[in-house]
Amino acid sequence: MEKRRAYVLLWKWASSSSSFSSRTLSNHRTLFSRSSDSGSTFNRGRRFTSLSPYTQQQRQNFQQSHNILIDSRVLHQATSFLRSSTLQVRFYGSAPVERIPSFSEINSKDIGYFKSILGENNVIQDQDRLQPANTDWMHKYQGSSKLMLLPRSTEEVSHIMRYCNSRHLAIVPQGGNTGLVGGSVPVFDEVIVNMSQMNKIISFDKVSGILVCEAGCILENLESYTDNEGFVMPLDLGAKGSCQIGGNVSTNAGGLRLVRYGSLHGNVLGIEAVLADGTVMDMLGTLRKDNTGYDLKHLFIGSEGSLGIVTKVSLLTPPKLSATNVAFLACNDYLSCQKLLIEARRKLGEVLSAFEFLDSYAMNVVLNNLEGVRNPLPPAVHNFYVLIETTGSDESYDREKLETFLFRLMESGLILDGVVAQDINQVSSFWRIREGIPEALMKSGAVYKYDLSLPLEKMYDLVDEMRARLVGNLRA
């Protein structure tokens, strides 16, 4: 945090300094930077080729005036950042990012090659079609790619990777581009390799429930397919209407069914992936237990495309159960939510399929920014809410078990209020609150997302600490 502030303050100082202004020369390159504090992109309109080093006295004066201690290493990095460059510069987190000069730029010969293997229609150069692919779902990050490729087979992906590797062209793999942290959009002018054309279901075993499909299959389409076959996808996300299974695997998406079915490390039986040099790694096994060599697929699950592009996936899908019940509950504090989870695991273990919590801030954001969403527990807004879903094979038994569980905990005071969904419409409205949080946050203002792994008991400490740091700037 202090380093990031040093960068921003140093930039402000340099922009206003007369000594800096007197040294601005005609490099004719405009600097763009992004401050991770505000999430905004700004253009100072300055042109320069050099910045003289700070003297020790200048550094001390600057530190005292802004009440900040600037480490000499930070100072060196910041002044280096402000020197001339032939490349566009952007802020990500606390350090500047520069395009690596050794990467080549696309030329007409490259375009001709890609068209020869993909066809005219699958080599995209139109700016209107490139714009969505260059922009993340949160509208925070903007790439400058001038080319998007749409391969239709593993062989085509292999040709693309081999050629880009030989030409030293940077690429970014892309699925549904629904990520919340900007990982699926270019930083600069990378070639976008979009997997949306590889969307075929290859096979489905109705006995074992093993599904084999291409990486570009949309999650919701897979859910519909398995549902018709009497099975259920072990992964469910709010973005299921757009996200693709290859991206889900590459990011090790957790989703709303993690409590019941675990992570993708336990549900992905095999993958096929193409490495940077075009080598096809065939690890598309369909056995739950396979000790024939190293289980390399786990290296690719959650690797974010850094090891290669996932092209096919085999998944274990559990049988669909007929009885689903959803309860929306209110708790006084985060400790009560933890205790409720412990009790739910003990008393509802065999039917518990989801356990999600949100606080009053998240509830208010949803209520204020999404149309048609209502508080299930009016009129009060409680400190914390918990959504519990059970899924079993006996509807009357499961519902009675859930209601008995809730009644006992309400008597003990662990639950302050609650309601059980009476029909499918109420089930959908309860889930809409939880799934709608990212959309509501985006509508409320600039948002930064981070995928964190913390011990359960420490998770909400992060929220409290961030609110203390952002006091006066927090939008609730």
Side-chain angles (χ1 to χ4, degrees), residues 32 57 70 106 118 137 145 163 195 209 231 233 245 264 281 291 318 354 357 399 408 412 427:
F32 291 85
Q57 185 60 47
I70 304 177
I106 292 289
L118 302 177
W137 189 82
S145 177
Y163 182 83
M195 304 298 291
F231 290 80
M233 285 293 290
I245 191 64
L264 287 175
M281 297 282 290
N291 292 333
F357 91 96
R399 191 176 186 84
R408 183 176 64 82
S412 70
V427 169

Side-chain angles (χ1 to χ4, degrees), residues 16-201:
S16 61
S17 170
S18 58
S19 60
F20 173 78
S21 299
S22 66
R23 291 178 175 86
T24 58
L25 301 176
S26 56
N27 185 34
H28 300 290
R29 309 270 181 199
T30 302
L31 176 80
F32 291 85
S33 62
R34 171 170 284 133
S35 164
S36 60
D37 291 309
S38 63
S40 60
T41 302
F42 55 89
N43 175 1
R44 303 298 299 189
R46 298 278 183 175
R47 295 184 174 92
F48 51 88
T49 57
S50 65
L51 179 69
S52 61
Y54 275 77
T55 65
Q56 181 67 18
Q57 185 60 47
Q58 284 175 310
R59 180 160 70 120
Q60 292 176 356
N61 293 341
F62 183 70
Q63 290 178 153
Q64 292 173 1
S65 63
H66 289 87
N67 191 29
I68 183 173
L69 177 62
I70 304 177
D71 186 272
S72 59
R73 291 167 298 175
V74 175
L75 184 64
H76 173 73
Q77 291 171 356
T79 53
S80 297
F81 162 59
L82 288 174
R83 293 193 183 102
S84 70
S85 172
T86 61
L87 305 168
Q88 189 185 62
V89 182
R90 297 167 62 184
F91 256 130
Y92 282 100
S94 60
V97 178
E98 297 185 5
R99 187 188 187 282
I100 299 174
S102 60
F103 281 111
S104 303
E105 295 185 5
I106 292 289
N107 59 35
S108 59
K109 185 179 178 180
D110 302 325
I111 300 298
Y113 174 80
F114 292 132
K115 287 182 177 180
S116 71
I117 63 171
L118 302 177
E120 293 271 349
N121 295 333
N122 293 317
V123 178
I124 311 301
Q125 295 177 275
D126 180 70
Q127 290 301 312
D128 290 338
R129 294 187 64 182
L130 284 169
Q131 178 62 26
N134 271 309
T135 309
D136 73 306
W137 189 82
M138 300 294 291
H139 301 291
K140 292 188 306 178
Y141 305 113
Q142 182 69 48
S144 304
S145 177
K146 298 177 178 64
L147 181 66
M148 179 167 66
L149 306 178
L150 304 174
R152 295 157 295 185
S153 66
T154 301
E155 290 72 26
E156 290 184 353
V157 176
S158 178
H159 285 309
I160 292 169
M161 298 295 280
R162 186 179 299 113
Y163 182 83
C164 289
N165 187 61
S166 67
R167 278 275 293 122
H168 212 58
L169 293 170
I171 71 158
V172 56
Q174 190 174 93
N177 200 19
T178 60
L180 303 178
V181 295
S184 59
V185 297
V187 178
F188 298 105
D189 59 346
E190 299 94 312
V191 177
I192 301 171
V193 180
N194 187 284
M195 304 298 291
S196 58
Q197 297 293 316
M198 295 182 61
N199 56 10
K200 299 181 185 67
I201 293 175

Side-chain angles (χ1 to χ4, degrees), residues 177-471:
N177 200 19
T178 60
L180 303 178
V181 295
S184 59
V185 297
V187 178
F188 298 105
D189 59 346
E190 299 94 312
V191 177
I192 301 171
V193 180
N194 187 284
M195 304 298 291
S196 58
Q197 297 293 316
M198 295 182 61
N199 56 10
K200 299 181 185 67
I201 293 175
I202 298 170
S203 65
F204 184 75
D205 189 326
K206 296 183 180 181
V207 176
S208 64
I210 295 174
L211 171 74
V212 181
C213 65
E214 292 182 320
C217 290
I218 293 174
L219 180 58
E220 190 170 44
N221 294 342
L222 294 179
E223 282 195 353
S224 298
Y225 179 88
T226 54
D227 184 73
N228 291 334
E229 298 292 339
F231 290 80
V232 62
M233 285 293 290
L235 176 69
D236 188 19
L237 301 170
K240 61 185 176 184
S242 302
C243 66
Q244 298 173 10
I245 191 64
N248 299 149
V249 171
S250 296
T251 58
N252 191 26
L256 305 171
R257 293 173 177 161
L258 183 70
V259 169
R260 182 64 171 266
Y261 301 119
S263 75
L264 287 175
H265 278 285
N267 293 295
V268 174
L269 301 180
I271 66 168
E272 177 189 81
V274 180
L275 305 184
D277 64 355
T279 302
V280 178
M281 297 282 290
D282 186 357
M283 304 170 283
L284 202 62
T286 57
L287 300 175
R288 295 190 67 179
K289 180 176 173 60
D290 185 355
N291 292 333
T292 55
Y294 297 109
D295 204 350
L296 296 178
K297 69 175 183 288
H298 289 295
L299 294 177
F300 288 82
I301 299 172
S303 67
E304 306 270 353
S306 60
L307 299 179
I309 298 180
V310 174
T311 51
K312 293 187 180 75
V313 181
S314 62
L315 285 161
L316 179 65
T317 65
K320 181 175 67 175
L321 301 176
S322 57
T324 298
N325 293 286
V326 176
F328 201 87
L329 314 171
C331 293
N332 185 51
D333 50 34
Y334 181 64
L335 181 59
S336 298
C337 295
Q338 295 179 69
K339 292 180 178 178
L340 181 56
L341 174 60
I342 294 171
E343 290 299 311
R345 283 174 168 166
R346 287 174 176 168
K347 305 298 182 183
L348 304 172
E350 75 278 14
V351 293
L352 182 65
S353 56
F355 187 100
E356 300 284 325
F357 91 96
L358 58 149
D359 62 12
S360 60
Y361 291 93
M363 174 64 90
N364 282 327
V365 167
V366 172
L367 295 177
N368 293 332
N369 291 282
L370 297 186
E371 293 184 5
V373 177
R374 292 179 174 82
N375 184 354
L377 303 173
V381 175
H382 297 276
N383 293 333
F384 287 87
Y385 295 91
V386 170
L387 186 152
I388 290 180
E389 180 187 81
T390 64
T391 307
S393 56
D394 189 326
E395 184 173 359
S396 59
Y397 171 79
D398 293 347
R399 191 176 186 84
E400 181 180 354
K401 187 179 184 69
L402 176 62
E403 290 177 346
T404 300
F405 168 77
L406 296 177
F407 179 77
R408 183 176 64 82
L409 292 185
M410 195 168 290
E411 279 192 325
S412 70
L414 193 61
I415 298 174
L416 302 180
D417 198 0
V419 59
V420 177
Q422 299 301 307
D423 53 42
I424 189 63
N425 291 329
Q426 285 193 348
V427 169
S428 298
S429 67
F430 291 176
W431 273 114
R432 173 62 174 151
I433 294 172
R434 169 61 187 90
E435 294 178 337
I437 293 175
E439 179 185 353
L441 286 171
M442 189 175 71
K443 290 183 177 181
S444 70
V447 180
Y448 272 78
K449 291 277 185 175
Y450 298 93
D451 195 355
L452 302 173
S453 297
L454 296 171
L456 193 62
E457 66 274 11
K458 300 292 185 182
M459 187 179 296
Y460 205 75
D461 292 347
L462 175 67
V463 180
D464 289 332
E465 183 172 339
M466 286 303 298
R467 284 187 178 139
R469 286 172 176 261
L470 297 174
V471 63

